[in-house]
Amino acid sequence: MDTLNIKSVLGNNIILREDARNIIHYIKENNIKVLDFQGVDFVSRSFADEIYSYTKNNAISIINTNEVIDKMFRAVQHTHNNGRQIINNIEILPVNSDEELSKLLLAY
Amino acid sequence: MEKQRICIQSVSQDVIIGKVFNDLFNIIKQSQQNNNNVVWDFADTFYLHPFLLFPLAVYRYQNNIKCINIRENTNIQKYLELVCFENLFDIKDNQSLEDKLSEYYDKSYIPISSFSINENLLKQLQTPIQTIIERQCRAEKISTQLSYFIGELIDNIREHSSADKGFIFSQYLQSEKCLNICIADNGITVLGSYYKTNKYLDIIHNNPAIALSQALNGLSTKSKERGFGLSSSKKMLVQGLKGAFFVMSGNAFYRYDLKLSDKEQIIPLNEEYYWKGTVVLIKIPVPVPQEFNFYNYIE
């Protein structure tokens, strides 16, 4: 058996990066060549990133992904290939007293 | 020595959200000024907004704060009992979680719950909780976004917080047509996570506000391909779903709500307002806007 059915080991809603690490360990131990996502509804971006980081260099096929999972893998692939730009849009408001804090909070 | 009494005032659904946080910070400050040797008095409380209720429950749990006049106050007693304010719902395993939570199918909330940070429990946590939340708010096309938000937040706790406990609560407010989801941990805070990994300390400058802003911008302690969890969640929630996103971590408070400002803002907090760990509070309007496209936000 060179195919691993993901749903049978992790269920249909997969969120943890650690689950991906466990899958990768299983792949190495059992010479898995195909990851079958039949029946899986959702994987987190973290899970997809961890799986993609390994499979891209190890000739592992990913099959039977639904639209959400397919696009999640495409998104992480895009980041790995093109990098990313971090834009800082967050302003840090100076607060010098409790009164200023209350005023800032109660302004809205 | 007599304990200092702190009155917990009502903060209802329809007040400005700033009052919720102003009251929360004042309660934390008064409690910490007295080394948590205080009692919280609920004699005059008749309603607490979820974003006040949840942090208070977690703070009380972590600091063993005594509460008085809950049983004597018929306005709040039943409500606090139902949401497990004083005795948090202890999530232990999936089987009992599904069974126990089944009684909440027809409610508008899940109880304020605590869970241990272990892999087996965490990976079983999301589906039963999410199933109930979706059923309660009866919203179409919300499933994928909920999976994304809850999944990324829980995975962040596992990957970065070094916490041993997590906390979760949700309440659907019919009158506001919004779902409020609260997730917290008792870990090392965002600043502590950068210190633990010895990453970007030249940028952070031991400043919790800068640390939180960098984390929310996506500067991961692990690698340049990572760090999307918080950054994409806040963007999707606020810009896409027109919701609101709030974070407290150590001595920093972040708010992003287009009803307040078109800017993302962080307010540094002094030591008396210190929050042990990180708490994320998200408000999701229901129904999902017609024009919303999930794929525009996963980068």
Side-chain angles (χ1 to χ4, degrees), chain A residues 9-22 41-50 52-53 56 66-108, chain B residues 16-19 21-22 25-26 29 33 118-120 122-123 126-127 130 144 147-148 150-152 154-155 158-159 207 209-210 212-214 216-220 222-229 231-232 234 253-255 259-261 263-270 272-273 294-295 298-299:
Chain A
V9 288
L10 294 176
N12 65 338
N13 196 350
I14 305 167
I15 59 172
L16 296 181
R17 188 176 285 270
E18 200 156 328
D19 280 337
R21 295 191 195 110
N22 291 336
D41 297 323
F42 179 85
V43 301
S44 70
R45 201 180 197 288
S46 305
F47 178 89
D49 176 70
E50 197 72 24
Y52 178 77
S53 297
K56 69 176 180 181
N66 67 16
E67 185 185 13
V68 174
I69 297 170
D70 185 50
K71 292 206 171 168
M72 206 67 89
F73 276 115
R74 286 176 192 270
V76 296
Q77 180 183 16
H78 183 267
T79 306
H80 279 253
N81 291 342
N82 302 294
R84 61 189 293 224
Q85 191 181 5
I86 292 179
I87 301 166
N88 184 7
N89 287 323
I90 304 175
E91 61 177 352
I92 297 176
L93 305 174
V95 178
N96 297 310
S97 66
D98 290 347
E99 291 71 30
E100 279 188 21
L101 175 63
S102 274
K103 196 175 168 186
L104 267 176
L105 293 170
L106 294 173
Y108 300 110
Chain B
I16 54 172
I17 196 73
K19 176 157 173 49
F21 293 109
N22 190 55
F25 293 148
N26 278 328
K29 180 188 171 188
Q33 279 179 332
N118 75 66
E119 182 193 344
N120 283 335
L122 290 182
K123 68 181 171 190
Q126 175 145 352
T127 299
Q130 190 176 327
T144 306
S147 292
Y148 194 82
I150 300 173
E152 292 296 340
I154 289 176
D155 191 57
R158 175 68 179 169
E159 292 288 317
N207 184 321
I210 296 175
L212 184 56
S213 75
Q214 295 297 338
L216 287 160
N217 283 329
L219 190 66
S220 172
K222 299 293 170 68
S223 77
K224 63 181 172 52
E225 286 89 10
R226 294 175 59 171
F228 284 89
S231 64
S232 56
K234 66 181 170 66
F253 170 62
Y254 166 89
R255 62 185 184 188
K259 287 182 181 167
L260 311 181
S261 168
K263 291 178 180 165
E264 301 174 61
Q265 298 174 325
I266 289 182
I267 301 176
L269 304 169
N270 71 30
E272 290 168 329
Y273 299 98
F294 172 80
Y295 304 113
I298 56 173
E299 303 184 48

Side-chain angles (χ1 to χ4, degrees), chain B residues 10-11 61 76 93 95 114 135 162 178 180 205 221 233 249 257 268 277 291:
Chain B
S10 288
V11 180
Y61 175 88
I76 199 80
D93 61 79
Q95 191 62 46
S114 66
R135 189 164 164 162
S162 301
C178 71
N180 296 279
H205 300 301
T221 56
S233 291
S249 185
D257 182 350
E291 68 278 11

Side-chain angles (χ1 to χ4, degrees), chain B residues 162-274:
Chain B
S162 301
D164 61 9
K165 277 281 181 192
F167 307 90
I168 188 165
F169 171 60
S170 87
Q171 186 168 12
Y172 174 60
L173 299 180
Q174 174 80 39
S175 58
E176 285 190 33
K177 291 193 170 25
C178 71
L179 183 59
N180 296 279
I181 298 177
C182 312
I183 296 179
D185 66 66
N186 66 350
I188 58 176
T189 77
V190 172
L191 177 65
S193 179
Y194 281 109
Y195 265 89
K196 187 178 179 184
T197 53
N198 206 24
K199 289 280 180 68
Y200 305 115
L201 301 185
D202 54 331
I203 298 172
I204 305 294
H205 300 301
N206 197 27
N207 184 321
I210 296 175
L212 184 56
S213 75
Q214 295 297 338
L216 287 160
N217 283 329
L219 190 66
S220 172
T221 56
K222 299 293 170 68
S223 77
K224 63 181 172 52
E225 286 89 10
R226 294 175 59 171
F228 284 89
L230 286 173
S231 64
S232 56
S233 291
K234 66 181 170 66
K235 194 171 160 190
M236 184 188 301
L237 177 64
V238 180
Q239 296 175 15
L241 295 170
K242 312 303 178 198
F245 198 94
F246 304 94
V247 183
M248 287 187 291
S249 185
N251 290 101
F253 170 62
Y254 166 89
R255 62 185 184 188
Y256 190 23
D257 182 350
L258 296 178
K259 287 182 181 167
L260 311 181
S261 168
D262 58 356
K263 291 178 180 165
E264 301 174 61
Q265 298 174 325
I266 289 182
I267 301 176
L269 304 169
N270 71 30
E271 280 303 318
E272 290 168 329
Y273 299 98
Y274 182 78

Side-chain angles (χ1 to χ4, degrees), chain B residues 276-291:
Chain B
K276 180 180 167 17
T278 299
V279 55
V280 178
L281 308 165
I282 63 178
K283 175 181 170 181
I284 308 172
V286 176
V288 174
Q290 288 275 336
E291 68 278 11

